[in-house]
Amino acid sequence: ANPIKLLLLTAMKIAYTLTTTALIAVSATTHAATTVSVVELGSGGVTRVTSNTNQAASTTVSGVTSFWGAMHDIPRAVPAGKRNLSTTDRIKAGITSSNKSMMQDSGMTMVPDMFQRADGGLALALIGDVDDLLKDMPTLAELTQKQRVGSFSVKGQKAMDLITASFADEGVTMGGDAGPVLKAKIDNATEENKLQGAIVEVDDAKKVDAQLKALVSDVQSRKGTFVLHIVTEDGVRRRLNEDEDENDRDEEDDKDEDKEEDDKDEDEDKDKEDEDEDEDGEDDGSQSDNYRTIFQIQYFNTVLWTALGLTTVLVYCIGLMINMPLMADTLLFGESAKMIG
């Protein structure tokens, strides 16, 4: 095969692969969504829904965190230089004490009840595709689909961002070690309605579901109302797999086409050699020898007219320089006269 043709085909394959990868990343970011399901455990009645729709209301990371701050107490360290702020400015800046709440963003479909306060809360982010989790986690399916008061939807993969926005130092806990961690956070959250955060990597769905069921039983055995904010990501892995499968099919098709082209070129070369042998020294200017592919014709014309254009510009510039009018340099002659004088 022609080396130039192979080089161009290789460059086109690399560009196609990079473009496909970028499109897959953009598609995953566009289609992915994060759902925050609000579940009341215990007495209930601490969350009010302002919309009758059963669909998750679209919001942002700051909107969800403002709801959490209005529902629970999230103590934050007071930065230097802001210790003398007024109460309103401290609330706007997110600097709260144990008995003050943040201001919630307007226009949200769920708000805390004005007269009843929760006794604690846990923002639990389960890292894994929700379509896969719901199949192997019946407790999670029961909580997020039947027992939830309402839910929020945030575009993109924002589970980690939601937790770290309120709990900057929170790390990822593997599913097998989640039980003791969640138990400790529940105990801390029930003190003065604090909100605790946890990020759990679901490596064993059945084991994590059993720990989640134990957590629910523990909370329901206590007095008061505990609010569980379950954060899940959906529509990510499935779409990525579909895009990757489609990309693999395209690559296989390209390989088949390249193989067919190589076989075709080999057959043409073989036929050409056979014809040359059959002709027994006939003139090389035969029709088969003069045959050119469309790629060769395009490449020849591109090189030809580019070379002609550059040559024309070069000749024109040389002509302008040759025909440049000669003018006396008054400054040079003036300095010469001073030196002579």
Side-chain angles (χ1 to χ4, degrees):
N2 194 334
I4 298 177
K5 182 178 179 180
L6 292 177
L7 182 61
L8 290 175
L9 288 175
T10 303
M12 291 173 64
K13 288 179 182 178
I14 294 175
Y16 174 77
T17 303
L18 294 175
T19 303
T20 305
T21 304
L23 290 175
I24 290 174
V26 173
S27 176
T29 305
T30 303
H31 293 295
T34 302
T35 303
V36 181
S37 301
V38 181
V39 181
E40 292 183 351
L41 302 175
S43 303
V46 298
T47 307
R48 298 301 176 188
V49 180
T50 61
S51 176
N52 294 327
T53 179
N54 292 326
Q55 297 180 353
S58 179
T59 184
T60 61
V61 172
S62 61
V64 174
T65 54
S66 69
F67 171 74
W68 288 350
M71 174 72 71
H72 309 281
D73 296 327
I74 311 177
R76 292 182 174 87
V78 181
K82 295 187 176 181
R83 291 184 172 85
N84 296 324
L85 293 178
S86 64
T87 303
T88 303
D89 292 336
R90 289 167 65 90
I91 294 175
K92 290 182 178 180
I95 306 169
T96 60
S97 60
S98 60
N99 57 354
K100 297 293 181 181
S101 301
M102 291 177 57
M103 295 181 64
Q104 183 178 353
D105 292 355
S106 60
M108 301 188 69
T109 57
M110 284 187 291
V111 295
D113 186 79
M114 296 180 61
F115 304 101
Q116 299 186 52
R117 291 274 290 168
D119 296 293
L122 174 65
L124 176 61
L126 300 176
I127 305 302
D129 191 88
V130 69
D131 293 334
D132 298 333
L133 298 182
L134 293 178
K135 295 178 182 178
D136 301 324
M137 300 181 65
T139 304
L140 176 64
E142 177 73 18
L143 292 173
T144 58
Q145 295 179 357
K146 296 182 179 180
Q147 296 187 17
R148 70 179 186 183
V149 179
S151 60
F152 297 114
S153 177
V154 182
K155 291 183 179 180
Q157 296 175 262
K158 301 296 183 180
M160 299 284 289
D161 295 340
L162 284 169
I163 302 301
T164 55
S166 298
F167 313 95
D169 299 331
E170 186 62 36
V172 179
T173 303
M174 300 307 295
D177 303 328
V181 175
L182 296 179
K183 178 68 167 58
K185 290 186 177 294
I186 292 296
D187 294 337
N188 293 331
T190 52
E191 299 177 2
E192 299 181 354
N193 186 22
K194 293 181 181 179
L195 178 67
Q196 296 291 317
I199 304 173
V200 177
E201 179 74 27
V202 183
D203 51 357
D204 188 344
K206 293 182 179 179
K207 190 171 183 179
V208 175
D209 190 70
Q211 294 173 347
L212 182 61
K213 184 176 181 180
L215 180 148
V216 173
S217 300
D218 181 20
V219 171
Q220 289 180 340
S221 63
R222 307 186 184 191
K223 296 181 180 180
T225 302
F226 191 88
V227 181
L228 184 61
H229 308 269
I230 303 176
V231 183
T232 56
E233 295 174 345
D234 54 41
V236 180
R237 188 176 302 170
R238 182 180 63 256
R239 291 186 175 88
L240 281 176
N241 292 335
E242 292 175 356
D243 293 336
E244 290 175 355
D245 294 339
E246 184 177 355
N247 188 23
D248 293 338
R249 288 194 297 269
D250 293 338
E251 290 180 355
E252 291 178 358
D253 294 339
D254 292 339
K255 291 180 180 178
D256 294 338
E257 291 177 359
D258 293 339
K259 185 176 180 181
E260 291 176 359
E261 290 180 359
D262 293 338
D263 294 339
K264 185 177 180 181
D265 292 338
E266 292 177 358
D267 295 337
E268 289 179 355
D269 294 337
K270 186 176 180 180
D271 294 339
K272 184 177 179 181
E273 292 176 358
D274 294 339
E275 289 177 359
D276 292 340
E277 292 177 357
D278 295 338
E279 288 174 358
D280 294 330
E282 290 185 0
D283 187 25
D284 293 337
S286 62
Q287 182 178 359
S288 61
D289 291 340
N290 291 332
Y291 174 77
R292 296 290 181 271
T293 63
I294 186 63
F295 174 79
Q296 293 173 332
I297 296 172
Q298 292 174 345
Y299 183 77
F300 173 78
N301 280 276
T302 301
V303 174
L304 174 64
W305 290 106
T306 302
L308 290 177
L310 293 176
T311 303
T312 303
V313 173
L314 178 63
V315 172
Y316 178 71
C317 293
I318 293 175
L320 291 177
M321 185 176 63
I322 293 174
N323 297 322
M324 183 182 299
L326 298 177
M327 299 176 63
D329 191 341
T330 56
L331 180 60
L332 179 61
F333 280 102
E335 291 295 332
S336 301
K338 290 181 180 179
M339 293 177 63
I340 295 173

